[in-house]
Amino acid sequence: MKLATYRDGSRDGQLLVVSRDLTQAHYASHIANRMQQVLDDWNYLSPQLQDLSDALNAGRARHAFTFDPRQCMAPLPRAYQWVNGNGYPSHGEVLARAAGVPIDPGNDQEPQLTQGSGANVWGAMDPITGARDTMGLDFCAGLAIVTGDLPMGCAADSALDGVRLIMLCNAAHLYVGPLILQRPGTAFSPVAVTPDELGEAWSRGRLHGQLQVTWNGRKVGLCDAGANMHFHFGRLLSALAQTRPVPAGSIVGAGPVSNKAVERKGRAEWPQGYSCIVEKRAMEILQDGQPSTDFLHHGDTVRIEMKGAGGASIFGAIEQEVVRSNS
Amino acid sequence: MKLATYRDGSRDGQLLVVSRDLTQAHYASHIANRMQQVLDDWNYLSPQLQDLSDALNAGRARHAFTFDPRQCMAPLPRAYQWVNGNGYPSHGEVLARAAGVPIDPGNDQEPQLTQGSGANVWGAMDPITGARDTMGLDFCAGLAIVTGDLPMGCAADSALDGVRLIMLCNAAHLYVGPLILQRPGTAFSPVAVTPDELGEAWSRGRLHGQLQVTWNGRKVGLCDAGANMHFHFGRLLSALAQTRPVPAGSIVGAGPVSNKAVERKGRAEWPQGYSCIVEKRAMEILQDGQPSTDFLHHGDTVRIEMKGAGGASIFGAIEQEVVRSNS
C-alpha cells in the first residue's frame, strides 16, 4: 500500500491512504490519524490500512478524493531518528580521489552511518531553506526506509523484516570545501510505499530502478539504485542496531545513489550522471583538474522521482525550489 | 515546576508533576498525558501544570502519591532530536593534549554539535546496555535542556527564551582508542525542571552548581557546571538554529561537564575530578604518560546528581548499572 500525510495545521498532519496510481486518496482517520501511531502499532493497524488501500484501488472507497502532492507533509513529518548511511561507496570513493586523500579502507567494508535531525523534515514540495552565501548548498537524492522495532544486535537478513516503508529523499547539505558543515533539512517523497507494493523491484534490501534527478529542468542523474547498492538496507540497519535497538519510526537513508565510473578511452566517465552536486564536482576534478559546476542558487529547482516498470511514478516526485535565507 | 514521566507500558508513558522536594507526585492526565504534547502546546498547557504544581507543593493536590524514581522513564521518553554540544571546551582540550594532536582552533571559538538518536533514551535507573568486549564503555555526565520552538537564525540571548526544561544526562559512549565508535543510549534524570524553579542558580544559560558523579560508590567528579561552561545553552541553541529551525521537544546537551586544570608544583591537576572516564584517562596520560583507569565493566554503577543551595537533590539521581550484552 501507499501512505501519505496531509498538512492540516498540526505538527503531525493527517494520515492518508493513496491509490497505486497516485490519483486518489482517502483519509485513514477511522484507523489512525498519525503515521507514527501506525508504526507504533503496525501489526494491529496496518491490515486495516491495507483493507482501505484495497478498496481504494478497486474504486470502492466511499470518500475518496483527488490526491494532491502539494498538500503533503513528509509521510512521517517528524521522526525520532534519521540516519543516513553509505549504501553506495562509489560516492565516497570518487570524493576521496578528487580530494587526493586515501580512500577510507572501511568505505566498502563496514556501513558508515551519520545521525541527522528527525525534527527537520520537509514535505516533497517544500522549499529548500537554510542557504548561506558562505557555503555551497547541495541536494542529495536517495532512498530511505522507515523501520518497525528492531532488536539490538539483529542480523542483516532479519533486519529486513523491520522495513515498513520505502521513500525517496533529498537531504540538503551545506559545504565549505569538501566538508559538510550543516544539514538544514531532508525532504521525502509525497508517498511512502510498503515493500510488497514494489513487487520484484524490491529484492533483498535493494530497490531496483533508476533514480531520476532533474536540476533546473535538466536531467542530471539516472543512477541505478539497485545494482550499485553495495550495503543493502539490511546491512545498514544491522550496523545501526549493533549496540542499541532501533525503535519503530526510525528513518534510515542509503546516502546519495551513486554509480561506478566506466573507463572510456582511458578516461573515467559517469554516463548515468549524479545524485548530488558534490559528486559531480569530484568527477570534474578527476576529469579536468577543477570543478566547473557550481552549487545551488536561489530559485534553482530540484526534482527527484522513480518510475516503475510500467513507467508510472512509484512515490510521486520530490520537487523543491531553493529559497534564500538571510546569511 | 518539576515534571516526570512514569512507565505505563506505552512508548511515551504518563506525565507527572513532582513536588519540589521530590517526595510527592500527581498524574497530569486531566491536562496532558504525554510530555511531547505539553512541549507542542506549551503556552496553553504549562500554566495548567503550574497550577497543579502549586497545589502539590502546598499539600493541596487531591490524588498525590509518593514519587518513586524507579518508575520513571526519561522525562521525554523519545525525542525528535538529541544533540550534544561542547559547552565545556576544556574537555576537548585535555583529550587533544593527551592524544598529542593539535587542539582544534574552533574548540573554544564556535560550538560543535553532535547529532544523536532521540529514539535511544533511557530512564534514570535503566541499565546501561550495548557494552562490547572490543570497545571501552564510558559514561558522560552533563546537563541537557528541552526546547520549545526556535526560529532559524535566532541569536543566543533570544534562544534562551526557548529553554523549557533542564535535566541531567548520562550519554553512554563506546570507544576504540580515542575515537567514539557508538552511542548506545542516553539516560536522563528522573525529573525535568523549568528554569524558574532553579532560581538564581540558573543564570543566562548556565546552571551554577556541582555535578556529583559517583562510580561504584566512589565520588569521582564534583565539577562546577556553571563557572567553566564556555558556551552557555543559548550559544549552543543559536549554533543549532544557524541553518534550520529548532522544533519543540529537541533535547540539547552541553557535553561532559569539565573543569580546567590547575597547576600545582609544575604539574597539572584536576581537583574537581571528572565527568567521563575518557577525560580521566587523558589526565593520567598527561600526568604519568599512560592511562591507568579502565573503562566500565559489567556490574559497575554510575550515579549522577546535583544538589541545590539547601543540599536537596534538584533533579533526582541518575543511577545506572552496566549490563553486558552479547558481543
Side-chain angles (χ1 to χ4, degrees), chain B residues 187-204:
Chain B
F188 293 92
S189 48
V191 158
V193 172
T194 51
D196 63 288
E197 186 78 36
L198 296 163
E200 291 181 359
W202 176 255
S203 171
R204 301 180 65 186

Side-chain angles (χ1 to χ4, degrees), chain B:
Chain B
M1 60 186 166
K2 300 191 174 188
L3 302 174
T5 296
Y6 255 23
R7 228 175 281 284
D8 70 347
S10 76
R11 294 173 188 265
D12 298 302
Q14 277 293 329
L15 184 66
L16 299 179
V17 173
V18 181
S19 64
R20 184 161 296 147
D21 64 3
L22 306 181
T23 62
Q24 296 285 299
H26 198 290
Y27 281 111
S29 335
H30 59 295
I31 301 164
N33 286 307
R34 300 181 297 114
M35 180 69 92
Q36 183 65 47
Q37 257 180 289
V38 178
L39 295 161
D40 285 347
D41 200 6
W42 184 260
N43 291 342
Y44 179 69
L45 294 173
S46 70
Q48 301 175 51
L49 293 171
Q50 184 65 56
D51 288 346
L52 177 56
S53 168
D54 293 344
L56 184 66
N57 283 323
R60 288 187 287 100
R62 289 218 174 172
H63 302 288
F65 51 88
T66 303
F67 176 62
D68 179 4
R70 283 170 299 190
Q71 306 304 321
C72 283
M73 303 172 84
L76 182 59
R78 44 183 185 172
Y80 294 112
Q81 184 163 227
W82 154 237
V83 178
N84 216 346
N86 61 333
Y88 305 84
S90 55
H91 171 70
E93 192 183 319
V94 68
L95 262 55
R97 280 192 204 281
V101 299
I103 296 164
D104 183 338
N107 185 48
D108 61 358
Q109 297 299 310
E110 271 304 312
Q112 288 160 24
L113 302 166
T114 304
Q115 203 89 32
S117 165
N120 295 87
V121 165
W122 292 320
M125 300 181 77
D126 287 348
I128 300 176
T129 55
R132 287 292 177 279
D133 277 343
T134 50
M135 305 185 205
L137 175 66
D138 199 0
F139 55 82
C140 172
L143 302 173
I145 56 108
V146 185
T147 72
D149 289 294
L150 293 170
M152 175 161 62
C154 67
D157 283 350
S158 56
L160 285 177
D161 297 336
V163 175
R164 297 282 180 252
L165 297 166
I166 299 149
M167 309 179 288
L168 306 182
C169 66
N170 181 24
H173 284 156
L174 287 164
Y175 289 90
V176 171
L179 292 173
I180 298 174
L181 275 199
Q182 300 270 346
R183 293 176 173 83
T186 306
F188 293 92
S189 48
V191 158
V193 172
T194 51
D196 63 288
E197 186 78 36
L198 296 163
E200 291 181 359
W202 176 255
S203 171
R204 301 180 65 186
R206 291 180 179 86
L207 180 58
H208 293 272
Q210 282 181 327
L211 189 68
Q212 303 182 358
V213 181
T214 309
W215 178 13
N216 290 338
R218 197 174 138 247
K219 282 198 181 150
V220 298
L222 265 177
C223 291
D224 188 322
N228 284 296
M229 191 182 202
H230 182 74
F231 299 118
H232 66 72
F233 277 108
R235 286 291 305 276
L236 298 176
L237 287 171
S238 173
L240 182 60
Q242 201 189 339
T243 62
R244 62 195 201 200
V246 178
S250 299
I251 305 181
V252 178
V257 174
S258 168
N259 281 187
K260 285 178 186 158
V262 294
E263 289 285 328
R264 282 191 188 158
K265 301 178 183 167
R267 181 182 157 96
E269 293 194 356
W270 289 266
Q272 294 181 291
Y274 54 93
S275 304
C276 57
I277 299 173
V278 77
E279 187 167 325
K280 171 64 172 166
R281 289 167 61 89
M283 295 168 182
E284 291 166 345
I285 291 170
L286 293 175
Q287 290 177 325
D288 311 315
Q290 59 180 30
S292 51
T293 301
D294 201 4
F295 286 104
L296 291 168
H297 292 106
H298 175 75
D300 277 11
T301 58
V302 180
R303 190 175 197 282
I304 300 164
E305 193 172 24
M306 184 180 274
K307 290 180 175 166
S313 184
I314 302 175
F315 304 95
I318 295 174
E319 286 193 82
Q320 297 188 274
E321 183 176 336
V322 176
V323 171
R324 263 293 292 287
S325 315
N326 297 325
S327 54

Side-chain angles (χ1 to χ4, degrees), chain A residues 198-261:
Chain A
L198 296 163
E200 291 181 359
W202 175 256
S203 170
R204 301 181 63 185
R206 292 179 178 87
L207 179 57
H208 294 273
Q210 283 182 326
L211 189 69
Q212 302 182 0
V213 181
T214 308
W215 179 11
N216 290 337
R218 195 173 140 251
K219 281 195 181 154
V220 299
L222 266 177
C223 291
D224 188 321
N228 284 298
M229 190 181 204
H230 182 74
F231 298 118
H232 65 73
F233 276 109
R235 285 292 304 276
L236 299 175
L237 287 171
S238 171
L240 182 61
Q242 203 190 338
T243 61
R244 63 197 201 199
V246 179
S250 298
I251 305 181
V252 178
V257 175
S258 169
N259 283 185
K260 285 180 184 155

Side-chain angles (χ1 to χ4, degrees), chain A residues 31-296:
Chain A
I31 302 165
N33 286 307
R34 300 181 295 115
M35 180 69 91
Q36 184 66 47
Q37 257 181 288
V38 179
L39 295 162
D40 284 348
D41 201 6
W42 184 260
N43 291 340
Y44 179 68
L45 294 173
S46 70
Q48 301 175 50
L49 293 172
Q50 185 63 57
D51 289 345
L52 177 56
S53 169
D54 292 344
L56 185 66
N57 282 323
R60 289 185 287 103
R62 291 216 171 172
H63 303 288
F65 52 87
T66 302
F67 176 61
D68 179 3
R70 282 170 299 191
Q71 305 305 319
C72 284
M73 304 172 83
L76 182 61
R78 45 182 182 171
Y80 294 112
Q81 182 162 230
W82 155 236
V83 178
N84 216 346
N86 62 333
Y88 305 85
S90 55
H91 172 70
E93 191 184 317
V94 67
L95 262 58
R97 280 191 204 281
V101 300
I103 296 164
D104 183 339
N107 186 47
D108 61 358
Q109 297 298 311
E110 271 304 312
Q112 288 160 23
L113 301 167
T114 305
Q115 202 89 32
S117 165
N120 294 87
V121 165
W122 292 320
M125 300 182 77
D126 287 349
I128 299 176
T129 55
R132 288 292 177 280
D133 278 342
T134 50
M135 305 184 206
L137 176 65
D138 200 0
F139 55 83
C140 172
L143 301 173
I145 55 107
V146 186
T147 72
D149 289 295
L150 292 170
M152 175 161 61
C154 67
D157 284 350
S158 56
L160 285 176
D161 296 337
V163 176
R164 297 283 180 251
L165 298 166
I166 299 148
M167 309 179 287
L168 305 182
C169 66
N170 182 24
H173 285 155
L174 287 164
Y175 290 90
V176 171
L179 292 173
I180 298 174
L181 274 199
Q182 299 270 345
R183 294 176 173 82
T186 305
F188 293 93
S189 48
V191 159
V193 172
T194 51
D196 64 289
E197 185 76 38
L198 296 163
E200 291 181 359
W202 175 256
S203 170
R204 301 181 63 185
R206 292 179 178 87
L207 179 57
H208 294 273
Q210 283 182 326
L211 189 69
Q212 302 182 0
V213 181
T214 308
W215 179 11
N216 290 337
R218 195 173 140 251
K219 281 195 181 154
V220 299
L222 266 177
C223 291
D224 188 321
N228 284 298
M229 190 181 204
H230 182 74
F231 298 118
H232 65 73
F233 276 109
R235 285 292 304 276
L236 299 175
L237 287 171
S238 171
L240 182 61
Q242 203 190 338
T243 61
R244 63 197 201 199
V246 179
S250 298
I251 305 181
V252 178
V257 175
S258 169
N259 283 185
K260 285 180 184 155
V262 294
E263 289 286 328
R264 281 190 190 160
K265 299 176 185 169
R267 183 181 156 95
E269 293 195 355
W270 289 266
Q272 295 181 288
Y274 55 92
S275 304
C276 58
I277 299 172
V278 77
E279 187 168 324
K280 172 65 172 166
R281 289 166 61 88
M283 295 169 184
E284 290 166 346
I285 291 170
L286 292 176
Q287 289 175 327
D288 311 317
Q290 59 179 28
S292 50
T293 301
D294 201 5
F295 285 104
L296 291 168

